[in-house]
């Protein structure tokens, strides 16, 4: 006779537990929701520059993903980052933004992003390489951006990095001769490099930032870069220095 009652009681307890579980689930949902909302607010602040200027960073949250069209859309990304971030003064900060945009492209190419002051002239910078594989966006008086792309860095052998590092370090150890025009120097340096599609020399005094995009696990990017000193005829340092960047094919 007690059996139905006991069953009923047990059934009631089951309901109670279910109710408790439901409360826990609702609590967890509330906590998750709050965290998600917090992230949304943070993201909105970060992307919109604290909301006071919608154009403070390029493209915005609802942007359409750009097709990987070289050079048109890469130039567009560079121009957008520079033009829409007028208050940004550090070249490296611009580099970080351009990196983030380049990584949205659907490609296995690996990029070097070189950013420095908007200077010109053969004492300031010089480049040599496959002109289909690097682009410059020069904003006189403001900033210069050079983006190089490597097609084969992703599939390169493990020792590609070591080899590139060695070649760059050899050139840096030798130093550069003092000149009034460095335009032809990258071409001369290229003779010492293998599997290289790009050599860049940028005066170190111009707040040079070198970043890479898509170079997962290889932080030096698709090649290697270092500082090279300019030496006088006696082999003494003149004080002038360049950043030497070598990009893999
Ligand atoms: C934002 O961008 C739009 C379109 O590019 C432009 O018309 C507008 O003037 C810009 N606003 C600011 C505050 O720069
Ligand atoms: C620097 O050298 C390059 C190549 O030799 C030449 O085309 C250019 O006119 C020179 N620039 C200056 C300012 O002398
Ligand atoms: C170059 O360096 C040597 C020592 O390495 C020194 O004796 C010489 O005076 C230096 N020359 C100049 C022009 O500074």
């Amino acid at each position: 006779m007690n059996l139905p009652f006991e069953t009923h009681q047990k059934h009631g307890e089951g309901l109670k537990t279910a109710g408790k579980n439901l409360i826990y689930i609702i609590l967890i949902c509330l906590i998750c929701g709050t965290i998600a909302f917090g992230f949304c607010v943070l993201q909105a602040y970060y992307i919109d520059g604290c909301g006071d200027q919608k154009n403070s960073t390029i493209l915005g949250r609802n942007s359409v993903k750009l097709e990987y069209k070289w050079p048109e859309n890469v130039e567009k990304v560079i121009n957008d980052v520079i033009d829409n971030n007028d208050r940004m003064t550090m070249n490296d900060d611009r580099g970080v933004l351009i990196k983030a945009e380049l990584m949205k492209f659907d490609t296995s190419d690996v990029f070097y992003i070189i950013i420095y002051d908007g200077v010109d002239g053969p004492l300031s910078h010089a480049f040599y390489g496959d002109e289909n594989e690097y682009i410059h966006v020069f904003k006189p008086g403001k900033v210069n951006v050079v983006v190089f792309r490597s097609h084969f860095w992703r599939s390169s052998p493990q020792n590609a990095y070591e080899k590139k590092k060695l070649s760059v370090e050899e050139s840096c150890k030798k130093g550069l001769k003092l000149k009034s025009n460095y335009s032809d120097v990258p071409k001369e340096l290229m003779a010492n490099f293998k599997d290289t599609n790009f050599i860049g020399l940028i005066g170190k005094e111009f707040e040079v930032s070198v970043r890479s995009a898509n170079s997962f696990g290889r932080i030096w990017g698709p090649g290697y870069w270092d500082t090279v000193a300019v030496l006088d005829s006696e082999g003494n340092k003149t004080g002038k220095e360049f950043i030497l960047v070598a990009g893999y094919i």
Side-chain angles (χ1 to χ4, degrees):
M1 283 297 283
N2 280 343
L3 213 59
F5 182 67
E6 270 181 25
T7 312
H8 182 70
Q9 212 176 23
K10 271 186 184 161
H11 184 61
E13 269 176 21
L15 269 178
K16 246 189 192 167
T17 317
K20 255 190 201 165
N21 284 345
L22 195 66
I23 287 168
Y24 283 138
I25 289 166
I26 290 169
L27 270 178
I28 289 167
C29 286
L30 275 176
I31 291 165
C32 289
T34 312
I35 290 169
F37 178 73
F39 272 117
C40 287
V41 169
L42 272 179
Q43 197 192 22
Y45 267 66
Y46 175 69
I47 289 180
D48 287 340
C50 294
D52 62 348
Q53 197 189 14
K54 282 279 181 237
N55 295 352
S56 59
T57 51
I58 60 163
L59 308 175
R61 270 169 299 173
N62 305 315
S63 68
V64 185
K65 192 171 164 178
L66 275 181
E67 210 187 321
Y68 180 51
K69 269 196 204 154
W70 177 278
E72 302 90 326
N73 282 349
V74 176
E75 281 169 356
K76 178 177 164 38
V77 157
I78 297 168
N79 277 303
D80 284 354
V81 165
I82 296 168
D83 296 343
N84 295 331
N85 291 281
D86 255 334
R87 284 178 298 179
M88 193 169 276
T89 54
M90 301 299 289
N91 291 336
D92 193 50
D93 291 344
R94 292 173 167 133
V96 170
L97 285 185
I98 292 172
K99 173 190 175 115
E101 292 304 320
L102 292 183
M103 287 179 78
K104 291 179 188 167
F105 284 124
D106 192 10
T107 177
S108 60
D109 288 351
V110 182
F111 302 98
Y112 261 133
I113 307 151
I114 307 166
I115 309 195
Y116 53 105
D117 298 341
V119 292
D120 203 0
L123 275 171
S124 310
H125 56 188
F127 303 96
Y128 181 72
D130 184 338
E131 288 184 5
N132 295 318
E133 311 302 352
Y134 70 95
I135 53 183
H136 348 191
V137 174
F138 288 173
K139 307 258 179 190
K142 193 174 177 183
V143 68
N144 284 328
V145 181
V146 175
V147 170
F148 163 77
R149 65 170 179 177
S150 165
H151 296 296
F152 301 110
W153 184 247
R154 277 274 183 91
S155 53
S156 66
Q158 275 296 317
N159 65 3
Y161 161 79
E162 292 298 335
K163 282 185 176 171
K164 194 68 68 241
K165 181 171 187 257
L166 208 68
S167 303
V168 169
E169 282 177 347
E170 268 173 21
S171 290
C172 290
K173 215 181 282 172
K174 275 187 218 156
L176 298 178
K177 283 185 195 144
L178 186 60
K179 289 177 179 253
S180 59
N181 185 341
Y182 289 87
S183 297
D184 294 332
V185 177
K187 190 177 177 180
E188 291 161 20
L189 290 174
M190 186 65 105
N192 309 324
F193 285 83
K194 276 183 185 159
D195 300 331
T196 300
N197 255 356
F198 174 84
I199 299 278
L201 277 181
I202 308 101
K204 200 173 180 177
E205 67 268 38
F206 303 122
E207 203 198 315
V208 188
S209 158
V210 184
R211 290 257 170 195
S212 63
N214 289 353
S215 189
F216 303 101
R218 291 163 125 181
I219 57 161
W220 282 93
Y224 196 75
W225 57 276
D226 204 352
T227 300
V228 57
V230 174
L231 309 176
D232 63 19
S233 54
E234 295 182 44
N236 293 346
K237 285 188 178 177
T238 59
K240 169 95 178 159
E241 287 178 326
F242 285 94
I243 298 290
L244 166 60
V245 186
Y248 193 76
I249 48 174

